[in-house]
Amino acid sequence: MATPLDADLPVTLLVTRRGAAGRYQDFLAWRHEGEAMASLFPGYLGSGTLEPPPGGTDYQMVFRFASEAQLAAWARSPQRQDWLDRGRDLVHEARAVRAQGL
């Protein structure tokens, strides 16, 4: 059973994305663009990406915000939606998990 997030604690969004075959450089550029865009939002605490092991295709993209409300504002923003739309051909699968205390 999921535990509700405390609205006053920092929150991390971990997104697993499977990159499109043969589009590695495009995926990297898109990924960096998304991190730069997120950094402009209030409450942004940092982001990064864990690379897949050799031969793997699943990237772990991490976005951290000071509160659930600030993460939600970024997650629902037109800027993020535009970024996701531009990356549609670069990502074949995505899964997201929110966590606190990481």
Side-chain angles (χ1 to χ4, degrees):
M1 185 165 122
T3 304
L5 297 177
D6 185 326
D8 295 327
L9 294 176
V11 63
T12 300
L13 178 66
L14 175 65
V15 183
T16 302
R17 289 192 164 97
R18 179 163 295 156
R23 304 284 310 271
Y24 179 73
Q25 292 303 320
D26 294 335
F27 179 81
L28 288 180
W30 175 78
R31 181 185 82 188
H32 289 298
E33 179 188 339
E35 290 175 345
M37 177 268 302
S39 74
L40 301 174
F41 279 77
Y44 174 81
L45 297 176
S47 59
T49 302
L50 303 171
E51 300 282 331
T57 57
D58 288 358
Y59 294 81
Q60 306 293 321
M61 297 179 74
V62 180
F63 296 94
R64 188 155 166 79
F65 283 83
S67 71
E68 175 61 31
Q70 290 169 322
L71 172 69
W74 165 75
R76 290 190 216 114
S77 72
Q79 296 93 324
R80 182 171 180 261
Q81 186 57 55
D82 183 55
W83 173 69
L84 291 172
D85 289 344
R86 286 192 312 278
R88 188 165 295 145
D89 293 336
L90 302 174
V91 178
H92 285 178
E93 183 180 337
R95 298 177 307 279
V97 176
R98 281 188 164 124
Q100 288 183 316
L102 297 177

